[in-house]
Amino acid sequence: MIDFHCHLDLMDNPTTVVKELEEACAYVLSVTTIPKAFPKTSRLAAKGGRIRTALGYHPQLVGERPNELSIFEKLLPETRYVGEVGLDGGKDFANSKEGQVKVFKTILKLCASNGSKIISIHSRHAASAVLDMINQYPKCGVPVLHWFTGTQDELNRAIQMGCWFSIGAPMLRSKKGKEALSLIPKDRILTETDAPFASTNIQTSLVTATKGLAKIWNLDQAEVDSQLKTNLAVLVA
Ligand code: MN
C-alpha cells in the first residue's frame, strides 16, 4: 500500500504508527507542515526505507510563521521530497495571501535550482493560482497535487501540464471527486490519507481508497495495487 501524503509527526503516537507501516511494507511520503519539523520527523523512519520524509511549509501556517524560508533553504539539499507546500485561497487565510505567494514562489525556485524535486502540493481554493506558479518554474520537478478540488477546466490544465495526483478516501466519496478521478490518467495517480486530518487510521483509509479506485477503473484490487506500485516506481525512478 501507498500513502503519498500523510503527517506522521502529527499522529497521536508516531512511533507506533511508523512501526505498523514498516511491518505492513507500506510506501509512505511523510510530509511536514513547517521546515523546523523536518529533522525530527525524518528521524522517525529508518534511512533508505519505504517511508520518506518531505520538507514542507504549509500555506495555512505561513501567516503565523512567515520567517522560515532560510531554514527551508538550508534543509532542502537533504531530501528529494518537498511538501506540504502550496497556496490556500480560503477566507480564513486571506490575510496571508501575499506571504503565501512569496513562500511558494521561493520554494519552487529553490526546487528548480536544487535539481528538481517531487513536490506534494496543497491547492485548496487556489488551483489556478497554483498552476500558474508551477508554470513559471518548469524545472521545479514533479508536482503531485494533493486532494485536488479544482474545477474540471483546472483539472484538465493540470493533467496537460504533467501534474500527478494523490487521492484519498474523501475524494472517492464525493460525486465531484469521482468525476475528477475518471478524468485523470491511471498512470498519474497515487493514494494518500492526509492523516491525521482526513483519517486517523492510515491502513483502513488506504484500503477504502483502493477499493474506490477499483470501482472507477473497473479493475480488481490486486490490479489496482499493481498499477499504483508501478506508478510510484515511475515517479521516483
Ligand atoms: Mn496535508
Side-chain angles (χ1 to χ4, degrees):
M1 54 178 80
I2 297 165
D3 187 351
F4 210 71
H5 182 114
C6 63
H7 301 262
L8 292 182
D9 60 338
L10 304 179
M11 303 293 286
D12 275 345
N13 200 335
T15 319
T16 310
V17 174
V18 165
K19 199 168 163 258
E20 285 166 1
L21 289 169
E22 282 175 345
E23 278 166 9
C25 295
Y27 292 88
V28 175
L29 187 66
S30 160
V31 299
T32 51
T33 53
I34 50 166
K36 261 185 195 157
F38 178 82
K40 196 177 167 200
T41 307
S42 60
R43 283 196 295 273
L44 281 172
K47 248 197 156 150
R50 294 184 180 87
I51 301 177
R52 301 295 164 97
T53 308
L55 173 62
Y57 202 156
H58 200 296
Q60 294 178 346
L61 296 178
V62 166
E64 51 193 90
R65 294 170 169 271
N67 301 315
E68 294 196 22
L69 271 174
S70 57
I71 307 174
F72 186 96
E73 184 169 7
K74 202 178 104 211
L75 293 169
L76 187 59
E78 291 186 24
T79 179
R80 191 183 170 199
Y81 300 92
V82 167
E84 176 167 5
V85 297
L87 299 175
D88 192 304
K91 274 198 234 88
D92 295 350
F93 307 99
N95 283 340
S96 65
K97 203 175 166 193
E98 255 174 66
Q100 288 184 46
V101 169
K102 184 187 149 213
V103 164
F104 188 43
K105 207 177 208 155
T106 307
I107 287 172
L108 291 173
K109 204 193 274 180
L110 288 168
C111 288
S113 59
N114 260 264
S116 94
K117 305 286 182 184
I118 294 170
I119 314 168
S120 185
I121 301 176
H122 175 112
S123 58
R124 180 179 164 263
H125 300 315
S128 286
V130 161
L131 296 175
D132 287 344
M133 284 178 62
I134 294 170
N135 240 343
Q136 288 174 40
Y137 298 95
K139 296 209 167 91
C140 66
V142 186
V144 182
L145 300 172
H146 134 72
W147 199 342
F148 189 78
T149 53
T151 64
Q152 198 157 310
D153 284 347
E154 288 166 332
L155 177 67
N156 285 327
R157 184 176 169 215
I159 294 167
Q160 265 157 21
M161 283 170 59
C163 294
W164 285 58
F165 300 83
S166 60
I167 63 99
M171 222 170 142
L172 284 148
R173 273 195 293 270
S174 77
K175 189 165 170 261
K176 189 184 168 195
K178 278 191 257 189
E179 275 166 9
L181 273 163
S182 63
L183 297 172
I184 303 172
K186 267 198 208 77
D187 57 4
R188 293 256 206 98
I189 289 179
L190 294 169
T191 40
E192 66 157 46
T193 63
D194 204 14
F197 301 112
S199 86
T200 45
N201 188 316
I202 289 179
Q203 296 191 51
T204 311
S205 173
L206 289 175
V207 170
T208 309
T210 52
K211 273 189 185 154
L213 279 178
K215 244 187 215 156
I216 289 172
W217 289 348
N218 200 18
L219 295 174
D220 65 39
Q221 193 86 14
E223 289 170 320
V224 172
D225 286 339
S226 144
Q227 174 75 51
L228 294 170
K229 216 169 166 185
T230 305
N231 292 354
L232 182 64
V234 169
L235 178 66
V236 305

